[in-house]
Amino acid sequence: MDFIKSILDAMPSDWLQLTTHRLDIYNEELAKVEFLEKLQSLNSKSSDFEKELKNLPTAFDYIRLGHPLSCILEWTIAKERNLDEKNVISFSSQTMPILAILRKNLLSKVPTQILYKNELPKHFDESILKDIYGYNFELKRTTDYCEAADFSGTTVALSSFDELFTSELEASADFTVFADSQLGSVILVNGSESEAYISEIQHVRRRESIAMTPNDCLSVLEHFVGVKKLSPDLVGESKNRTRALSAIKEITNTSTDASLGSCGLSIQYAIMMGLIHHSYEVYPGKKIKFIVPPNCYGGTNDQARRVAACIDNVEILDLPVDGGKDMVASVEKVLSQVASADAIPFIIAEIPTNPRVEVPDLDRLRQALAKKRLTSEGATAVAPVFILDQTFCPNVLFLGQGDFLSSVKTISYVSGSKFPSGGLCTAGYCVTNEIANELGSYIEKHLQVCDNQATPFQVETLANQMPSMVERISEAYKNTRAFVDFIEQTLPEAKINFVSKELASKGFTPSVFSLDLPTKGDNARQREAHKRELNLLLIKMMINEIPDESKHCVSYGQLKGCYWTIPATSTQGTTKEGDKDYIVRVAISPIFDLEQHKSVFAKFCNQHIK
């Protein structure tokens, strides 16, 4: 307890204030493990304790997956309960750890019983989880968990969060979930046989939800060491939500209310499950096709396929969109196929695309989406819903009256960890246009079922940051354009993927670009290997020589600095190898030392290119 107190007194401010921490010291294979090992080796009485905490390796590459404070909380609980820390997993959601077990058991055909003594989580909906998600389970209210020990399958015991440090672990349960309506939950994995579920539970946290937020982890830890009572600060919550929703309406030029989620992928999951729910009610019996670019962000790609793996009549179709592929031609082709099969088409696409930063011909795209199509039997085909990830350009007007996609059923969503919050929280939001308004209630419903709504802190952060977002996007674009122009002059042989000035004049002003460095070699294999080596050399030099600004990061839209990554090894982590992009992706912020970055890039060219 004294050690935890010392950590809380000396912890770096960015443990609470940033979505990433020390990515320059990160070993993905040792996520969480290396951080905890180094942490436990520290001496809290050392005069350098504060500095040593700052120099710890990062626990995860993004706080959605986990972060220093979630690791410390899980380690603390594990120590108190004599468990391995890997057997303790925190969520910002009350229900997602339960859904993680149900998902694995669905695929493994293992029955599940969920035991509870008092109340279920507020929005836990048995019929939706069974009828829409396809999960199979029994709910049992009991006064004694031991009564239900003889069950051939998995037993999940639900407990109140205030019993997290006090109650005995239920020996008859394979898992115990301690839940709180404001903080989320902690799941304890009990027994060696249950440990096979750990990676699956972690993957649900990675793809369909988030870890308990840093602020809430801090609250639980402060309660544990007796610093303050466990009472989340909800002052101003309603006012902050109104401010955030108002800002989103103004920025998107829409009249419908947005939905606020705990992260972009929480929103995307609610969109997918909400659309499946709507389809079941409006088009019973029809096949559902989610159409997804094969090289898009790995979280999108992976989550879509994970949903399809659980639901028999849902299938994923590829939509080639960039790197020489025409999005509109691909949309035409795949929608004709889906129409012929009398199925329901949902298209998920990024505009601009990631990482090639391409924008399709929007007039042709609108025409392709609005085109009336017939089934093979000559009946009118179901019209598509376009699900637009506009994280790179959240300021572009797509949905309002007279905007690019106002006449096509469209849902736009944005990862709020990017420009909306400036990297200060994860969050996420989505909004529909008028003709897709009926879908909004289904999305909101599934955010609630999964308990994946934005936390009060996240909502407050959005409310505070979004009014300045359009201006920050403009300043970041100016910096990016200037850096791109310099690279084009300094290294004309490089291939730069960025928007044209003509597109920028129409409002597409992203602050990310990707770079194919010129390479050499006697054959394609040697040239590719040399290019990948140059990628790493460039990123290393930038970060080493400008450590206050240039950083390893998969994020975008931060408040200051410059962020470097290679999509194939970060954002496209679960993408098929043949669809990965081994190029440099650079994200630039509104506060950025352009001259210093130009100087280091020129030095790199002199040393390694010319």
Side-chain angles (χ1 to χ4, degrees):
M1 193 175 287
D2 288 340
F3 186 51
I4 299 298
K5 283 181 180 178
S6 299
I7 292 171
L8 300 184
D9 287 340
M11 70 178 190
S13 61
D14 63 8
W15 282 14
L16 277 177
Q17 297 173 353
L18 294 179
T19 53
T20 52
H21 168 75
R22 291 311 303 258
L23 280 178
D24 54 323
I25 318 174
Y26 178 57
N27 183 345
E28 187 170 12
E29 297 299 317
L30 296 174
K32 182 176 176 179
V33 174
E34 187 176 23
F35 171 82
L36 287 174
E37 286 178 347
K38 300 285 187 184
L39 177 76
Q40 292 174 78
S41 71
L42 300 182
N43 178 5
S44 62
K45 306 298 183 185
S46 166
S47 58
D48 291 329
F49 187 53
E50 188 171 343
K51 181 180 179 181
E52 289 168 346
L53 288 176
K54 288 181 179 179
N55 290 332
L56 286 172
T58 197
F60 292 88
D61 60 352
Y62 194 49
I63 65 167
R64 176 167 53 76
L65 320 179
H67 46 84
L69 286 169
S70 71
C71 291
I72 292 170
L73 173 61
E74 291 159 6
W75 175 76
T76 301
I77 296 165
K79 289 294 182 188
E80 283 292 292
R81 292 188 166 275
N82 197 29
L83 292 170
D84 191 300
E85 53 262 20
K86 73 176 185 296
N87 291 41
V88 184
I89 306 165
S90 68
F91 280 79
S92 183
S93 161
Q94 297 178 83
T95 56
M96 286 308 292
I98 305 170
L99 269 58
I101 295 164
L102 292 175
R103 182 183 189 277
K104 178 169 171 54
N105 283 353
L106 169 70
L107 298 175
S108 303
K109 296 181 171 56
V110 174
T112 310
Q113 67 171 353
I114 300 171
L115 310 180
Y116 66 104
K117 290 182 180 178
N118 297 311
E119 300 296 328
L120 288 165
K122 182 178 179 181
H123 295 289
F124 190 93
D125 192 310
E126 182 178 4
S127 61
I128 285 180
L129 292 176
K130 288 180 175 179
D131 297 341
I132 309 301
Y133 292 72
Y135 295 149
N136 177 31
F137 59 94
E138 298 176 27
L139 275 177
K140 293 183 181 178
R141 189 168 188 168
T142 181
T143 57
D144 184 0
Y145 288 145
C146 294
E147 291 177 359
D150 295 327
F151 180 75
S152 182
T154 299
T155 298
V156 182
L158 304 187
S159 290
S160 172
F161 201 86
D162 57 17
E163 298 179 323
L164 180 59
F165 292 107
T166 58
S167 68
E168 292 294 322
L169 193 61
E170 297 294 342
S172 60
D174 301 292
F175 304 91
T176 305
V177 177
F178 296 89
D180 180 85
S181 61
Q182 296 298 328
L183 298 165
S185 62
V186 173
I187 182 170
L188 306 186
V189 180
N190 187 23
S192 57
E193 290 184 5
S194 301
E195 291 180 358
Y197 286 74
I198 290 173
S199 63
E200 293 289 341
I201 296 169
Q202 288 279 14
H203 205 79
V204 164
R205 189 169 84 170
R206 171 179 288 267
R207 288 297 183 235
E208 285 93 36
S209 191
I210 65 169
M212 187 181 291
T213 66
N215 291 71
D216 288 338
C217 286
L218 178 62
S219 294
V220 179
L221 287 166
E222 287 178 334
H223 170 67
F224 172 69
V225 299
V227 172
K228 69 175 186 179
K229 291 183 178 180
L230 193 59
S231 54
D233 183 8
L234 303 180
V235 176
E237 181 183 13
S238 177
K239 184 178 179 181
N240 288 332
R241 178 170 289 274
T242 299
R243 289 168 56 214
L245 293 177
S246 176
I248 293 169
K249 279 185 179 179
E250 182 176 351
I251 288 166
T252 59
N253 189 33
T254 54
S255 57
T256 57
D257 276 339
S259 289
L260 307 179
S262 60
C263 72
L265 282 178
S266 292
I267 284 285
Q268 182 185 282
Y269 191 50
I271 291 170
M272 292 191 73
M273 298 312 300
L275 290 177
I276 292 169
H277 191 168
H278 178 265
S279 299
Y280 279 16
E281 293 186 354
V282 180
Y283 305 108
K286 288 188 186 292
K287 299 287 187 182
I288 298 168
K289 311 290 184 182
F290 280 96
I291 303 157
V292 183
N295 70 326
C296 71
Y297 166 57
T300 294
N301 220 312
D302 190 31
Q303 185 192 99
R305 284 163 170 76
R306 285 166 56 79
V307 169
C310 293
I311 303 176
D312 289 340
N313 69 331
V314 175
E315 182 186 4
I316 305 300
L317 300 178
D318 285 348
L319 181 77
V321 297
D322 65 2
K325 305 293 193 305
D326 179 65
M327 181 185 290
V328 178
S330 297
V331 165
E332 280 277 10
K333 181 178 178 180
V334 75
L335 285 183
S336 296
Q337 293 172 352
V338 175
S340 179
D342 192 19
I344 306 169
F346 299 124
I347 301 176
I348 302 176
E350 298 164 298
I351 300 179
T353 60
N354 175 23
R356 299 286 176 174
V357 203
E358 295 176 0
V359 177
D361 183 319
L362 292 171
D363 288 329
R364 289 176 55 229
L365 177 62
R366 179 175 58 244
Q367 292 166 16
L369 292 169
K371 183 177 178 179
K372 306 297 182 184
R373 294 178 173 83
L374 301 177
T375 70
S376 59
E377 302 294 324
T380 300
V382 178
V385 175
F386 193 64
I387 307 161
L388 170 63
D389 180 350
Q390 64 172 111
T391 295
F392 274 6
C393 282
N395 59 318
V396 176
L397 301 181
F398 283 100
L399 306 184
Q401 195 66 35
D403 292 335
F404 290 123
L405 295 173
S406 60
S407 60
V408 176
K409 279 191 177 183
T410 304
I411 303 165
S412 166
Y413 72 107
V414 175
S415 170
S417 67
K418 314 303 189 291
F419 266 116
S421 76
L424 300 184
C425 73
T426 54
Y429 64 82
C430 78
V431 63
T432 71
N433 59 9
E434 282 288 350
I435 62 174
N437 189 31
E438 64 176 322
L439 302 174
S441 61
Y442 287 86
I443 296 167
E444 187 67 32
K445 180 65 176 176
H446 284 268
L447 269 180
Q448 293 173 354
V449 168
C450 296
D451 194 32
N452 269 340
Q453 301 104 316
T455 69
F457 171 80
Q458 290 176 327
V459 174
E460 181 181 12
T461 303
L462 290 181
N464 290 339
Q465 291 297 112
M466 289 196 69
S468 66
M469 185 177 81
V470 172
E471 182 182 352
R472 284 185 279 115
I473 288 172
S474 175
E475 292 304 308
Y477 168 75
K478 291 176 186 176
N479 285 332
T480 312
R481 175 61 71 187
F483 195 32
V484 166
D485 288 347
F486 174 79
I487 294 172
E488 287 177 335
Q489 295 166 7
T490 307
L491 195 62
E493 316 94 281
K495 179 185 177 183
I496 300 175
N497 296 279
F498 192 50
V499 292
S500 65
K501 292 179 180 176
E502 180 186 1
L503 272 173
S505 70
K506 295 178 180 179
F508 287 95
T509 54
S511 52
V512 65
F513 66 94
S514 61
L515 179 64
D516 266 318
L517 294 168
T519 187
K520 59 186 177 182
D522 296 332
N523 53 53
R525 187 173 181 177
Q526 288 182 4
R527 288 190 291 274
E528 180 65 19
H530 182 63
K531 183 188 78 170
R532 294 186 188 187
E533 182 183 356
L534 286 178
N535 290 343
L536 297 175
L537 286 170
L538 172 61
I539 292 174
K540 184 177 180 181
M541 180 177 283
M542 283 291 180
I543 291 170
N544 286 347
E545 301 216 5
I546 321 175
D548 292 338
E549 287 207 7
S550 269
K551 300 182 186 302
H552 287 288
C553 192
V554 301
S555 197
Y556 166 68
Q558 307 273 6
L559 294 178
K560 61 181 181 179
C562 183
Y563 302 90
W564 302 77
T565 191
I566 297 170
T569 58
S570 57
T571 64
Q572 294 178 330
T574 55
T575 303
K576 290 181 291 186
E577 184 61 31
D579 293 319
K580 289 185 176 183
D581 294 280
Y582 285 90
I583 55 180
V584 175
R585 199 190 85 177
V586 191
I588 293 174
S589 302
I591 300 173
F592 169 73
D593 190 331
L594 175 62
E595 294 307 315
Q596 192 175 12
H597 283 78
K598 286 161 67 171
S599 174
V600 175
F601 188 85
K603 180 179 176 181
F604 167 80
C605 292
N606 289 331
Q607 289 185 6
H608 300 288
I609 305 290
K610 297 177 181 178

